[in-house]
Amino acid sequence: MRRIITISREFGSGGRELGKRLAERMGVAYYDNEIVTAIAQKSGLAQSYVQGVMENRIQSYPIHYGRTFSLYSLPNNENQIHIFAAQHEILQEMAQKDDCVIVGRCADIILKDYRPFNLFVYADMPSKMERCRQREPEGEHYSDKELEKKIRQVDSGRARYRRLFTSVKWGSREGYHLCVNTSGIPIKDLVEVVYDYSQVWFAHQTEGGNK
Amino acid sequence: MRRIITISREFGSGGRELGKRLAERMGVAYYDNEIVTAIAQKSGLAQSYVQGVMENRIQSYPIHYGRTFSLYSLPNNENQIHIFAAQHEILQEMAQKDDCVIVGRCADIILKDYRPFNLFVYADMPSKMERCRQREPEGEHYSDKELEKKIRQVDSGRARYRRLFTSVKWGSREGYHLCVNTSGIPIKDLVEVVYDYSQVWFAHQTEGGNK
């Protein structure tokens, strides 16, 4: 049985760091921005355009997987069809290859036949702002108000992009197996307990539902 | 520093069992229905009436704690004032006495100055129905439709009662430190990992914010 962890996360919650560290702990591949690069290569589109669509800064219509596949399933232009198709193919290839940790890109929905362990990582606004400040590149400085606005905007884009794939709301508990609030806790201290939790979860998945 | 775990839970998710087992694991008191009994005793009201108000089968108006204390803060009759006051006092007494695990009764809101570890326990509908069936008393039998309706009704009541104390929605991730989906996992197998998680969380709470 394949052991795949998908991570959905609020911007600034430390979800990416948790993903990287979990992948290290499991000794498996970690996929994040690589996915955008691979989609750009496969579709022949510019990486910035692909990124724009995936952050939902470019308008598109819902596409649904599984039971809810519906009349609304056509993206609104050819480029977006290419992006959706490439995203699907690339995530499938990654999942087929080996166990892995995948951050974002609706991997929890697209790979649901693999029964991944779906984690949602979040935090309160002060913690997210503090984490963002710590990784602020030199020369870049947002005011508190701007930073908060940016955090909310990124998350809104993620929520909108997710709506193209599923009717289950981004960040709503029913879409995930575990939701972790990282406020005030260094990510490195969460790795072992989240890893242990995932192992209990994997141990209870039957072979039947898995590829 | 006091170590209090509060558990909010969907009906049938196994939250109560998890609470009991966590209390055993920690070697601390476990409070659940005892709270209703104690409120009835303190307020001089019938236990069934107290239960009715706390399950929000009896109409009342919002009361808010902390910053959101507002003009709407008066319950709509004297009995309800007694219940709210008694609930507040009893939970405070429990928290002052020693570390403990408290299931339901908005303990996460009422005891927030103690910085409890707030857990939300949930599951998908089939798992909740299966758990309910397992504990169905002999002679009682709900059809699947009736059982699902009952589960939704109990949870709606909990959500409404919670709205009397806080603007943060029942079951919405931001109100909790960890949200655990118990679908398909025996509760006994979750105890150790949730306990370990809580210990990491407690280790990062500073003395400053605690009683």
Side-chain angles (χ1 to χ4, degrees):
Chain A
M1 177 195 140
R2 188 67 77 233
R3 294 191 172 201
I4 297 171
I5 296 183
T6 75
I7 298 185
S8 307
R9 76 292 184 211
E10 289 180 349
F11 188 72
S13 67
R16 176 178 286 183
E17 183 185 343
L18 183 57
K20 267 188 202 162
R21 289 181 182 270
L22 280 173
E24 272 169 34
R25 176 64 183 82
M26 295 165 75
V28 302
Y30 164 81
Y31 299 115
D32 182 0
N33 285 329
E34 297 81 347
I35 301 168
V36 178
T37 310
I39 292 172
Q41 280 168 355
K42 206 181 254 287
S43 63
L45 296 162
Q47 189 156 339
S48 58
Y49 179 83
V50 172
Q51 187 81 44
V53 169
M54 297 185 80
E55 288 173 0
N56 206 261
R57 286 184 275 109
I58 294 159
Q59 187 61 43
S60 32
Y61 293 119
I63 184 167
H64 288 284
Y65 279 81
R67 286 191 202 167
T68 52
F69 199 94
S70 75
L71 288 172
Y72 300 100
S73 62
L74 290 175
N76 64 349
N77 73 39
E78 211 176 321
N79 285 344
Q80 287 175 12
I81 295 177
H82 287 318
I83 290 173
F84 287 142
Q87 179 176 358
H88 190 91
E89 271 174 48
I90 284 155
L91 288 173
Q92 292 284 343
E93 280 166 20
M94 286 168 172
Q96 276 157 24
K97 212 185 292 174
D98 208 346
D99 296 350
C100 56
V101 175
I102 304 177
V103 173
R105 284 83 198 185
C106 301
D108 55 326
I109 309 299
I110 294 173
L111 298 180
K112 73 184 171 62
D113 289 347
Y114 289 87
R115 296 174 66 78
F117 177 68
N118 301 323
L119 195 59
F120 190 86
V121 184
Y122 64 107
D124 58 26
M125 190 51 81
S127 303
K128 290 189 285 191
M129 288 172 72
E130 198 186 317
R131 279 209 176 89
C132 288
R133 293 266 180 239
Q134 282 163 5
R135 59 188 195 206
E136 209 163 46
E138 214 164 318
E140 183 182 294
H141 186 76
Y142 288 99
S143 70
D144 280 357
K145 212 174 150 184
E146 286 166 339
L147 185 57
E148 190 173 332
K149 193 176 166 196
K150 187 191 166 189
I151 290 171
R152 291 193 195 280
Q153 274 176 342
V154 173
D155 286 350
S156 299
R158 287 175 182 170
R160 280 198 305 275
Y161 189 65
R162 189 179 170 87
R163 280 207 294 271
L164 305 177
F165 292 84
T166 177
S167 57
V168 178
K169 262 177 80 177
W170 180 83
S172 188
R173 64 184 185 274
E174 61 265 41
Y176 310 96
H177 300 111
L178 188 70
C179 305
V180 170
N181 185 339
T182 60
S183 309
I185 312 181
I187 298 298
K188 67 176 174 43
D189 294 345
L190 288 176
V191 180
E192 206 57 30
V193 283
V194 174
Y195 170 79
D196 287 347
Y197 191 102
S198 73
Q199 297 309 298
V200 169
W201 188 88
F202 282 123
H204 282 285
Q205 303 314 301
T206 52
E207 288 297 320
N210 280 277
K211 293 204 179 176
Chain B
M1 175 195 141
R2 188 66 78 232
R3 294 190 172 204
I4 296 170
I5 296 184
T6 75
I7 298 186
S8 307
R9 76 292 184 212
E10 289 181 350
F11 188 73
S13 67
R16 175 179 287 183
E17 183 185 342
L18 182 58
K20 268 188 202 162
R21 289 181 181 271
L22 279 174
E24 272 169 34
R25 176 64 183 82
M26 294 165 75
V28 302
Y30 165 81
Y31 299 115
D32 182 0
N33 285 329
E34 298 81 346
I35 301 168
V36 178
T37 312
I39 292 172
Q41 280 168 355
K42 205 180 256 284
S43 63
L45 295 163
Q47 190 157 337
S48 58
Y49 178 83
V50 172
Q51 187 82 42
V53 169
M54 297 185 82
E55 288 173 0
N56 206 261
R57 287 185 274 109
I58 294 158
Q59 186 61 43
S60 33
Y61 293 119
I63 183 168
H64 288 284
Y65 279 81
R67 285 193 202 166
T68 53
F69 199 93
S70 76
L71 288 171
Y72 300 100
S73 62
L74 289 177
N76 64 350
N77 74 39
E78 210 176 319
N79 286 345
Q80 287 176 11
I81 295 177
H82 288 318
I83 290 174
F84 287 142
Q87 179 176 359
H88 189 91
E89 270 174 49
I90 285 156
L91 289 173
Q92 293 283 344
E93 281 167 21
M94 287 167 172
Q96 275 156 24
K97 212 185 292 174
D98 208 347
D99 296 349
C100 56
V101 174
I102 304 177
V103 173
R105 282 82 196 186
C106 302
D108 54 326
I109 309 298
I110 294 174
L111 298 180
K112 71 185 171 62
D113 289 346
Y114 289 87
R115 295 176 66 79
F117 177 68
N118 300 325
L119 195 59
F120 190 86
V121 184
Y122 64 107
D124 58 26
M125 189 52 80
S127 303
K128 290 189 286 190
M129 288 172 73
E130 199 187 317
R131 279 208 177 89
C132 288
R133 293 267 179 239
Q134 283 163 6
R135 58 187 197 208
E136 209 163 44
E138 215 165 319
E140 183 182 294
H141 185 76
Y142 288 99
S143 69
D144 279 357
K145 212 175 151 182
E146 286 167 340
L147 185 56
E148 190 173 332
K149 193 177 165 193
K150 188 190 166 190
I151 290 171
R152 292 193 195 281
Q153 274 175 343
V154 173
D155 285 350
S156 299
R158 287 175 181 170
R160 280 197 305 275
Y161 190 65
R162 189 179 169 87
R163 280 207 294 271
L164 304 177
F165 292 84
T166 175
S167 58
V168 178
K169 263 177 79 176
W170 180 83
S172 188
R173 64 183 186 274
E174 60 265 40
Y176 310 97
H177 300 111
L178 188 69
C179 305
V180 170
N181 185 339
T182 60
S183 308
I185 312 181
I187 298 298
K188 66 175 175 43
D189 294 345
L190 287 176
V191 179
E192 206 57 32
V193 283
V194 173
Y195 170 79
D196 287 347
Y197 191 102
S198 72
Q199 297 310 298
V200 169
W201 189 87
F202 283 123
H204 282 285
Q205 304 313 302
T206 51
E207 288 296 321
N210 280 279
K211 292 205 178 177

